Amino acid sequence: MEDGPSSTPGAQEQEGRPAIMAELYEAITQRGLSLVDLAWEQQRLHESRRWSVMEMLAAVDFERLGEADRHLVWNAGRAELTTKPGADRLERLADAECRRWQEKDPTVAAIMQACGTWSRYWNEEEAHHETAFNRLSTVMRLEPITDATFIEFRKVFPDDDMLRTLTLLAISEVVAAVDYGQCSQRVEDPGLRALFKQVAADEIQHMNYFIAFAKALVDSGGYQAKEAFAVAHLFLRDGGEVHGSKRERVESRDTHVNWWDQLEHRDGFEVPESLRKKEQLIFHALKRITGITVTSRESVEDTWMDLVGC
């Protein structure tokens, strides 16, 4: 978006196509957008992208789904259970950070509150993903998710530095978007393919929002690029999080559940990887957040070490 909301008559016709505000810090400090303005832009984009789970599932031809398709659906449904606690944590953390920054830097406080406000849309869209895949699993009589697993996967993530949190969420969406995109290419039924493509598109949108909020924090001067690189290194290092449940050592966590640790790899059924594509998108995200260009896992580590003074 190039122009901020206007209060003049007929302004609605002048607003243009809904879009994520990529230059959020500038929008607040130079264009004077208020939190009400930002919430309106979020609502416009959300409404323009709404879709129906029931309509999407009605287009799936269950007779065409093979065992490999069923495995992809089952894994997706389990993984999506972990997104609600992520969104719940983001709302809570953003509000707490907003109030911590309110007197010190009102602009940072506004960025935090805009992020927390948007989390309601993230939560709703992820609910679409979760219920769609788990309903498919139920109808196809796949291995049921027990109440104990449901409750375990709902553990709310512990709080962390906000820039680290947003970078982790952006990278998580990178991994999810690539995986769902790969799934859409592997299934044959047009209805299921459309569902995977829609979910992948949603995850890309979420990634772009997280990048925009993270960039605004760096632009404010209140947060340092080293925190974003620390999280990227966690994913990209040898045996890092980007390898998901295939890495040699998967940490045991009592506090929360990471969806990428829970994907099950069964004999005869492929689970998407596309590591190179994920790496490239992570490099691009770091560039957008921090302005620093990296082109390899090694350069991510080197840059992180330089930023922390090692």
Side-chain angles (χ1 to χ4, degrees), residues 1 53 88 99 170:
M1 286 185 50
V53 171
D88 291 347
R99 298 179 196 288

Side-chain angles (χ1 to χ4, degrees), residues 55-66 68-70 72-73 136 140 183-197:
E55 290 177 5
M56 195 72 78
L57 295 187
V60 176
D61 183 354
F62 291 88
E63 298 298 323
R64 296 188 60 173
L65 305 186
D69 300 333
R70 294 155 69 90
L72 294 175
V73 166
L136 279 174
M140 291 189 291
C183 288
S184 73
Q185 296 176 23
R186 297 182 185 203
V187 300
E188 294 186 4
D189 176 63
L192 184 57
R193 185 182 307 119
L195 175 60
F196 275 123
K197 288 179 69 174

Side-chain angles (χ1 to χ4, degrees), residues 51 53 57 77 80-81 124-138 154:
W51 54 278
V53 171
L57 295 187
E80 289 291 347
L81 288 172
E124 180 186 338
E125 290 170 6
E126 294 293 0
H128 278 47
H129 306 170
E130 174 194 311
T131 54
F133 289 122
N134 283 325
R135 181 58 183 169
L136 279 174
S137 292
T138 298
R154 286 297 206 229

Side-chain angles (χ1 to χ4, degrees), residues 9 11 14 27 47 49 70 78-79 83 114 137 144 146-147 177 182 187 230 232 240 245 252-253 257 290 298:
Q14 302 171 16
E47 288 198 22
R49 302 189 71 261
R70 294 155 69 90
R78 278 168 44 92
T83 56
S137 292
T146 66
D147 286 354
Q182 290 293 305
V187 300
S245 57
S252 176
R253 298 180 173 93
V257 175
T290 69
E298 293 76 18

